C-alpha cells in the first residue's frame, strides 16, 4: 500500500515557521505544506510570495474548518498555544505545538484529555523562539541534539560510573535589553527563561534520570534596566535519591569565549562539553537536513572524556577528546517519527479509516511528558517565590 500524503497547515509565519518547520515539512515525502495562517501580510514578509502553492488563510477558524487539512502546527507565541491547540483538536486535526506546551499543567491536562476524546495525535515540538532578538544556543527539539545523545550514550554504557553531579547550561552574554521587542521584555503566561530554555533543560534531565525527589529554583533577571520584571535567567536544582544533584542554568551575563553546555561527573569519569548543536545555525543559513554536512560539528568542538584507570592499585586519570556522534540525528527526525505515529494510529481500520484511535505511543514527544515538564516549571516558580526547596 502506498504511503498516504498528509496535508499540513502552519499557524503563524514568523522565523520559527519559515526556518524551523516548513523546511522540515518539505523534507518529509509523506507531508505536504497545504496552508499557512498569516494574519497580517507585509511587503517583506508575505507567505503567499514565498510559498505560492500553499493556501494562505488570514482567519484561524477558516483554516481549522478546512476538511482537507490533517495536521496543524502551532508556531505562535506561548499565550496562544492553548487556544489554537484546543480549536484544532475540536476540529478533528492532529496537532504539533511548539514548546512550551502551554503555560499551565491544568491547560496541558485539558488538551491531553481532549486529544484522547477526539482520537487525535498531539505532540510538542521544542522549536526556536520566532521573535527573540538575542543570539542564543539552538532551541529546536532538544531530544535530538547530537551532544545530548552523545552524553546519553556514555551514561547508557556506564562510562562515567555512578553519576553524582550533572550540570546543563544554556548561557550567552547579552547583558543589554537594547533592541528587544516590547512584548519579549514583559512578563506573560508561558514567558521567561524558565519556559523559554529551562523547559529544554528540565526535559533532558528527566529523560536521563527520571523525576527528581526535590526541587530548588532561583528565577530572576541578570540584566539591568529590566523594570517590568521579566525573568531572563534561572537556576534549577533537581535533587535525586542517592545524593545526585542536577544543576540546570540559563544565563544572559556570561562573558565566555566558549559557553559550557554539559559537565557530568561520576565515580569512574567525567564528561565536559562546550558549544551547542549546530543545526539551528545551519537551517538559518539555508542548509537542508538532507545536506551531507548538515548538523556536523567542527572537530575542535568535541567534548572531553576523562576516565579513571585503577590498574596496578593506583588511580590514573586519562583525558581525551570524545567526538559527537556522526551522522547526527536531525530535526527531520521529529516529523518522520510523527508520520510513523500517524501510520500506526490508522492500522486498525485501513488507510483513511479509524485514523486516530487516540494511540500516541509513537509520537516523538508525548504530551504527558511535556505536561510533566510544565509541572516542574510551576514548582520552580513556586520554589523561587517562596525561597525554599519543594518536594516533587
Amino acid at each position: 500500500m502506498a504511503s498516504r500524503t498528509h496535508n499540513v497547515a502552519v499557524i503563524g509565519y514568523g522565523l520559527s515557521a519559515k526556518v524551523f518547520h516548513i523546511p522540515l515539512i518539505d523534507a518529509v515525502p509523506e507531508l505536504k505544506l497545504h496552508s499557512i495562517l498569516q494574519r497580517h501580510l507585509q511587503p517583506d514578509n508575505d507567505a503567499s510570495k514565498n510559498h505560492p502553492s500553499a493556501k494562505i488563510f488570514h482567519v484561524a477558524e477558516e483554516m481549522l474548518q478546512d476538511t482537507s487539512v490533517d495536521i496543524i502546527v502551532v508556531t505562535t507565541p506561548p499565550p496562544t498555544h492553548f487556544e489554537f491547540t484546543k480549536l484544532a483538536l475540536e476540529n478533528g486535526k492532529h496537532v504539533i505545538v511548539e514548546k512550551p506546551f502551554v503555560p499551565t499543567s491544568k491547560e496541558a491536562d485539558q488538551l491531553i484529555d481532549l486529544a484522547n476524546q477526539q482520537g487525535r495525535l498531539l505532540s510538542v515540538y521544542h522549536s526556536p523562539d520566532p521573535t527573540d532578538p538575542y543570539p542564543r544556543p539552538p532551541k529546536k527539539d532538544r531530544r535530538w541534539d547530537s551532544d545530548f545523545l552523545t552524553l546519553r550514550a556514555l551514561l547508557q554504557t556506564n562510562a562515567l560510573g555512578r553519576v553524582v553531579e550533572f550540570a546543563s547550561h544554556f548561557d550567552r552574554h547579552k547583558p543589554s535589553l537594547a533592541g528587544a521587542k516590547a512584548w519579549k521584555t514583559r512578563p506573560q503566561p508561558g514567558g521567561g527563561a524558565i519556559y523559554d530554555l529551562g523547559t529544554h533543560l528540565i526535559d533532558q534531565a528527566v529523560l536521563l534520570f527520571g523525576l527528581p525527589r526535590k526541587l530548588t529554583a532561583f528565577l530572576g533577571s541578570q540584566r539591568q534596566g529590566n523594570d517590568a520584571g521579566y525573568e531572563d535567567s534561572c537556576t534549577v536544582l533537581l535533587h535525586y535519591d542517592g545524593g545526585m544533584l542536577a544543576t540546570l542554568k540559563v544565563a544572559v551575563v556570561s562573558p565566555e569565549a566558549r559557553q559550557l553546555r554539559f559537565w557530568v561527573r561520576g565515580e569512574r569519569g567525567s564528561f565536559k562539553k562546550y558549544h551547542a548543536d549546530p543545526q539551528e545555525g545551519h537551517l538559518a543559513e539555508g542548509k537542508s537536513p538532507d545536506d551531507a554536512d548538515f548538523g556536523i560539528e567542527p572537530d575542535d568542538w568535541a567534548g572531553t572524556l576523562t576516565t579513571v584507570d585503577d590498574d596496578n592499585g593506583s588511580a590514573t586519570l586519562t583525558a581525551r577528546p570524545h567526538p559527537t556522534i556522526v551522522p547526527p540525528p536531525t530535526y527531520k527526525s521529529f516529523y518522520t517519527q510523527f508520520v510513523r505515529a500517524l501510520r500506526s494510529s490508522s492500522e486498525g481500520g485501513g488507510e483513511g479509516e479509524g485514523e486516530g484511535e487516540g494511540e500516541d505511543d509513537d509520537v516523538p514527544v508525548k504530551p504527558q511528558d511535556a505536561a510533566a515538564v510544565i509541572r516542574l516549571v510551576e514548582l520552580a516558580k513556586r520554589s523561587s517565590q517562596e525561597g525554599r526547596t519543594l518536594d516533587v
Side-chain angles (χ1 to χ4, degrees):
M1 182 182 297
S3 298
R4 174 184 170 184
T5 298
H6 302 276
N7 287 330
V8 182
V10 177
I11 296 181
Y13 195 62
L15 178 65
S16 177
K18 289 185 283 189
V19 176
F20 303 107
H21 282 280
I22 292 174
L24 306 182
I25 294 166
D26 288 340
V28 178
E30 296 89 348
L31 299 178
K32 177 185 178 182
L33 179 64
H34 174 275
S35 49
I36 299 168
L37 173 67
Q38 187 179 21
R39 287 177 165 174
H40 306 292
L41 298 179
Q42 299 174 356
D44 60 347
N45 186 32
D46 186 340
S48 64
K49 295 179 181 178
N50 299 332
H51 302 280
S53 64
K55 190 173 182 179
I56 306 302
F57 288 94
H58 306 296
V59 179
E61 288 75 13
E62 294 178 0
M63 169 187 275
L64 296 173
Q65 291 169 7
D66 189 329
T67 57
S68 60
V69 171
D70 303 306
I71 305 166
I72 295 290
V73 180
V74 179
T75 72
T76 47
T80 67
H81 287 185
F82 178 79
E83 174 190 1
F84 282 134
T85 303
K86 181 174 181 290
L87 287 172
L89 291 170
E90 289 174 341
N91 281 275
K93 313 303 184 187
H94 304 288
V95 183
I96 295 168
V97 57
E98 287 195 358
K99 83 94 198 102
F101 184 8
V102 280
T104 70
S105 59
K106 180 179 179 181
E107 291 173 322
D109 290 340
Q110 290 177 12
L111 293 178
I112 292 169
D113 289 344
L114 180 58
N116 289 333
Q117 293 166 13
Q118 294 290 101
R120 300 290 93 178
L121 299 185
L122 173 63
S123 191
V124 179
Y125 181 93
H126 292 187
S127 68
D129 188 327
T131 56
D132 194 329
Y134 301 109
R136 62 174 61 205
K139 282 181 49 190
K140 50 87 180 178
D141 194 313
R142 290 285 174 183
R143 295 183 177 199
W144 279 265
D145 273 6
S146 55
D147 50 12
F148 170 69
L149 292 178
T150 299
L151 169 60
R152 193 176 189 182
L154 288 172
L155 297 178
Q156 288 173 338
T157 58
N158 201 35
L160 308 183
R162 183 178 67 89
V163 172
V164 298
E165 281 194 274
F166 170 81
S168 181
H169 288 232
F170 282 146
D171 300 332
R172 59 199 187 278
H173 187 59
K174 283 292 174 180
S176 172
L177 283 168
K181 293 185 178 180
W183 75 269
K184 276 298 296 179
T185 61
R186 292 194 302 265
Q188 63 174 329
I194 188 66
Y195 282 100
D196 187 25
L197 288 170
T199 48
H200 290 302
L201 301 180
I202 293 171
D203 181 61
Q204 287 186 340
V206 171
L207 277 173
L208 293 176
F209 305 110
L211 288 172
R213 181 171 54 86
K214 294 179 182 292
L215 177 151
T216 312
F218 308 90
L219 280 57
S221 175
Q222 293 182 341
R223 294 187 177 110
Q224 292 184 331
N226 183 6
D227 298 332
Y230 177 79
E231 295 170 341
D232 59 28
S233 307
C234 65
T235 298
V236 179
L237 307 179
L238 304 181
H239 309 258
Y240 286 87
D241 289 332
M244 202 279 283
L245 181 68
T247 302
L248 316 178
K249 195 173 199 54
V250 177
V252 293
V253 179
S254 181
E256 301 286 347
R258 297 183 304 162
Q259 298 292 354
L260 179 65
R261 182 63 186 90
F262 291 113
W263 190 5
V264 188
R265 292 184 281 191
E267 290 183 326
R268 303 295 307 164
S270 69
F271 179 69
K272 182 179 284 189
K273 177 74 169 68
Y274 294 90
H275 306 292
D277 184 289
Q279 292 182 68
E280 177 180 329
H282 287 176
L283 281 174
E285 293 167 4
K287 290 182 180 292
S288 165
D290 295 325
D291 290 346
D293 62 345
F294 184 82
I296 302 294
E297 290 186 347
D299 290 342
D300 60 0
W301 282 22
T304 299
L305 175 65
T306 301
T307 54
V308 179
D309 185 355
D310 281 335
D311 287 349
N312 302 320
S314 61
T316 302
L317 298 179
T318 302
R320 60 187 180 277
H322 187 77
T324 302
I325 58 173
V326 176
T330 68
Y331 297 28
K332 182 179 173 182
S333 302
F334 182 98
Y335 277 98
T336 55
Q337 189 168 337
F338 195 84
V339 168
R340 288 196 295 270
L342 286 170
R343 186 180 303 122
S344 175
S345 72
S346 67
E347 284 179 350
E351 198 71 26
E353 291 184 39
E355 183 175 274
E357 296 293 324
E359 300 175 7
D360 65 350
D361 289 348
D362 295 326
V363 295
V365 178
K366 293 184 180 181
Q368 293 86 352
D369 291 349
V373 170
I374 297 300
R375 290 187 183 92
L376 291 176
V377 167
E378 291 172 327
L379 278 177
K381 293 174 65 178
R382 182 180 154 203
S383 169
S384 182
Q385 290 166 358
E386 297 179 2
R388 65 189 181 98
T389 298
L390 299 176
D391 291 331
V392 174

